[in-house]
Amino acid sequence: MRDKTAPVKKKDSTAEEGPKKVQRRKHRVEDPRARHRRHEAMEAMKMLDHLRRDFTEPLKSMEYFYDLFERVYCNGEVLHSGKPTVGTLCIQIPYEIIYAIDAVPVRLCNGFHTDEQSGGEFMPAKSCSLVKATLGMLKQKDIPAVGKLDFMVHPTTCDQKTKAITLIEEMDYDVYHMEFPRVKESEESREYWRRTVRKFTKDLSRGLGRKITRGRLKEAITKVGRAQLAYHRLNELRKSDPVPILGKDIFLITNAFFFDDIERWTEMTLKVCEEVEKRAKEGFNAAGRRSPRILYTGSPPIFPNLKLPYMIEQADAVIVADESCSANRLFNDMVSVDEWFMYDMVDAVADRYLKGCTCPIFTKNDDRKRRLKELCEQYAVDGVIYQSFAGCQVYEMEQRSIQQAMEKLGIPMLYVETDYSPGQGGQLSTRIEAFVESLKVRKRRKNHQRGEVS
Ligand code: SF4
Ligand code: SF4
């Protein structure tokens, strides 16, 4: 008897119908560029999925930002058509000047492991992932969000970026060099940088054939100022306890500032503010009951390399503040204008970029230490996580003095050296989890000493 539970074997119809012509499928060979793009899209989608789905009760207003990253990095959508585009290789390039000539700035600093691998052929093995990935992206000649560039500006900030200029030029890009001083405090540096920005204003205007006027510059300063205010309104909400927004959302929003239309970005950030303010009023906690409050600092998390913020918040901590050029530092210091005359405005723009910069490229960096201390106090931070990309000497060198400054404040700091490779995950998350656990124990002990029940 046939076992009735066994599947019925289908008849081999081809055997009855005789031999059939075997249909050969045309096998298309994927060209290296298409393969590269597909790998990037997969990388972007993976991170977006993690950020979107691995946390409970996501903010509805964040959907705009998730869609934006998907449109640009997974679907290859080109934004800003019809306007000239200016690629910037660091945050020290004044956006106000670019907007004033009705062009669009696009930050080229890149966070893809796919690009890091292809850019690796140009640089020594132990060099900054961000610089390697940027070279890898430029090699493709297909810039996300804009397709192609009309102008590219490179400031002489850190050594690796400075040396990368030659490599970029060898790829047939015209690169405009902006000389950036490495001493921040002196009057000479200030004057030198002002002169550099004045020259840049003229050269950009001439290079793109667009006139810059007093009215347009004033308008551009106001436009950037509005974006800064929107960010600060959101950032202020992270002081609340319980905290109503996670750090991974903040990083996604600030990363979108690299390439989105500035007015749309401001409008959408204000929408997030409204939702988060509502949550704050209701006492909503975006983190866990005992989640330690973290200050993130160091080499910048750039999409899709948001693995460190993701790991920190998956380990039941919450990033309440940051000091990095892919988030907080982008919005430091507003332009302060005494007289709305052309040259006064250009100088005021230049000052904002030099004064507000807390990148460790400077000879000494008391401003960065001061800012970190302020952030620890204002955002009631329990611990600091400091990331340095392997091979980034300035961040590696500066971590010791930051560690000492944090010790004086009685705030524990974890130093991690990373790159963009996904392989590091296990070991890194174990260290982060152990650090977060130690902060929880410390917090509980402190609360007991204060007579609070946790
Ligand atoms: S880390 Fe410093 S040099 Fe590098 S992109 Fe950021 S601000 Fe520029
Ligand atoms: S992480 Fe370091 S090496 Fe890389 S761009 Fe920033 S300062 Fe330069």
Side-chain angles (χ1 to χ4, degrees):
M1 239 170 66
R2 186 177 74 84
D3 176 4
K4 286 184 182 166
T5 59
V8 182
K9 220 178 170 187
K10 276 192 184 166
K11 276 186 186 174
D12 183 356
S13 56
T14 51
E16 282 171 11
E17 287 164 17
K20 254 189 176 177
K21 255 193 178 174
V22 181
Q23 292 266 331
R24 278 193 192 278
R25 268 231 206 125
K26 271 192 186 158
H27 184 68
R28 275 238 216 96
V29 181
E30 196 179 31
D31 69 60
R33 214 162 173 190
R35 188 166 50 243
H36 189 95
R37 232 179 274 138
R38 182 169 54 80
H39 286 169
E40 278 184 337
M42 278 159 49
E43 217 184 314
M45 206 40 160
K46 195 172 169 196
M47 181 47 76
L48 284 174
D49 273 348
H50 278 312
L51 299 178
R52 234 172 180 160
R53 308 198 202 289
D54 295 356
F55 298 87
T56 53
E57 301 189 65
L59 286 160
K60 285 195 183 67
S61 48
M62 279 302 296
E63 275 310 308
Y64 167 76
F65 293 97
Y66 289 119
D67 285 349
L68 177 70
F69 279 90
E70 192 173 328
R71 276 160 46 209
V72 168
Y73 289 110
C74 304
N75 306 338
E77 191 174 318
V78 171
L79 314 171
H80 319 292
S81 46
K83 287 199 175 181
T85 53
V86 180
T88 65
L89 281 144
C90 174
I91 62 164
Q92 293 315 118
I93 313 298
Y95 271 29
E96 291 82 350
I97 306 291
I98 301 172
Y99 285 125
I101 60 160
D102 203 23
V104 180
V106 183
R107 182 168 172 192
L108 301 173
C109 297
N110 187 284
F112 280 86
H113 178 53
T114 311
D115 291 320
E116 181 194 19
Q117 282 175 305
S118 70
E121 72 178 83
F122 301 102
M123 295 189 63
K126 201 176 173 191
S127 39
C128 170
S129 299
L130 187 161
V131 181
K132 280 194 271 190
T134 306
L135 291 175
M137 176 195 70
L138 291 173
K139 188 182 141 192
Q140 298 303 312
K141 303 273 164 90
D142 183 12
I143 313 296
V146 289
K148 63 173 194 54
L149 296 169
D150 297 292
F151 202 94
M152 194 195 292
V153 200
H154 200 316
T156 53
T157 42
C158 75
D159 284 353
Q160 296 195 38
K161 291 224 147 181
T162 306
K163 293 306 285 178
I165 298 179
T166 326
L167 304 168
I168 296 170
E169 283 172 337
E170 281 167 10
M171 292 177 194
D172 275 344
Y173 286 98
D174 271 339
V175 186
Y176 183 88
H177 306 186
M178 264 184 107
E179 289 176 50
F180 192 74
R182 295 285 186 91
V183 178
K184 192 167 162 183
E185 295 79 11
S186 75
E187 196 45 46
E188 289 80 1
S189 292
R190 190 176 175 221
E191 191 41 47
Y192 182 76
W193 178 239
R194 280 182 168 190
R195 275 213 306 272
T196 305
V197 175
R198 282 180 218 146
K199 185 172 180 310
F200 169 67
T201 307
K202 277 190 203 141
D203 293 345
L204 183 69
S205 167
R206 203 172 302 138
L208 293 179
R210 295 191 162 216
K211 227 176 149 201
I212 179 163
T213 63
R214 186 169 153 252
R216 283 209 201 123
L217 183 54
K218 187 175 175 188
E219 205 180 292
I221 291 174
T222 313
K223 194 154 59 175
V224 175
R226 271 202 296 268
Q228 286 177 289
L229 288 176
Y231 168 79
H232 288 300
R233 180 168 151 194
L234 187 60
N235 203 32
E236 200 56 26
L237 291 161
R238 300 165 85 190
K239 289 182 181 166
S240 309
D241 189 9
V243 62
I245 183 167
L246 294 173
K248 54 109 189 170
D249 288 335
I250 300 285
F251 275 111
L252 205 66
I253 294 172
T254 54
N255 268 252
F257 187 77
F258 291 13
F259 58 84
D260 197 9
D261 171 83
I262 187 167
E263 281 166 325
R264 196 172 41 222
W265 182 92
T266 306
E267 186 194 328
M268 293 303 161
T269 302
L270 289 173
K271 286 220 162 92
V272 179
C273 286
E274 283 164 22
E275 193 179 350
V276 178
E277 275 161 1
K278 195 164 167 273
R279 285 186 164 193
K281 270 193 204 131
E282 291 161 357
F284 178 89
N285 189 359
R289 203 166 63 87
R290 294 190 304 122
S291 303
R293 299 168 67 90
I294 302 291
L295 163 64
Y296 169 86
T297 188
S299 300
I302 293 180
F303 182 84
N305 179 47
L306 297 184
K307 70 177 174 201
L308 205 61
Y310 171 77
M311 278 179 188
I312 294 169
E313 296 192 326
Q314 278 291 297
D316 196 23
V318 55
I319 302 173
V320 292
D322 65 86
E323 196 290 310
S324 105
C325 74
S326 62
N328 190 310
R329 212 185 291 157
L330 277 170
F331 304 94
N332 279 351
D333 291 5
M334 311 275 291
V335 174
S336 142
V337 183
D338 292 331
E339 304 280 352
W340 293 94
F341 296 124
M342 188 69 170
Y343 284 102
D344 288 319
M345 283 191 276
V346 173
D347 285 355
V349 168
D351 289 350
R352 179 208 152 195
Y353 283 83
L354 185 61
K355 258 200 311 193
C357 181
T358 45
C359 183
I361 48 170
F362 296 109
T363 46
K364 59 178 186 163
N365 211 347
D366 294 344
D367 269 1
R368 179 147 179 262
K369 271 186 240 158
R370 204 188 51 241
R371 191 158 278 157
L372 286 170
K373 281 188 202 164
E374 275 170 15
L375 289 171
C376 284
E377 283 156 10
Q378 292 170 356
Y379 289 78
V381 163
D382 297 307
V384 174
I385 296 186
Y386 187 123
Q387 163 176 248
S388 173
F389 291 147
C392 168
Q393 286 191 333
V394 282
Y395 273 115
E396 281 177 24
M397 284 175 79
E398 213 177 86
Q399 65 96 8
R400 201 183 287 249
S401 66
I402 301 293
Q403 180 105 44
Q404 284 162 355
M406 291 302 122
E407 268 166 25
K408 277 192 196 148
L409 278 185
I411 296 183
M413 181 177 115
L414 175 72
Y415 172 67
V416 290
E417 202 182 280
T418 69
D419 55 29
Y420 287 179
S421 97
Q424 253 186 337
Q427 201 198 18
L428 198 57
S429 60
T430 309
R431 286 188 64 203
I432 290 167
E433 278 160 18
F435 181 66
V436 170
E437 272 317 303
S438 73
L439 293 178
K440 282 184 181 171
V441 172
R442 210 167 168 268
K443 207 171 170 178
R444 210 175 314 145
R445 208 178 295 140
K446 264 191 182 170
N447 288 345
H448 273 299
Q449 280 165 1
R450 282 201 220 112
E452 292 170 20
V453 183
S454 76

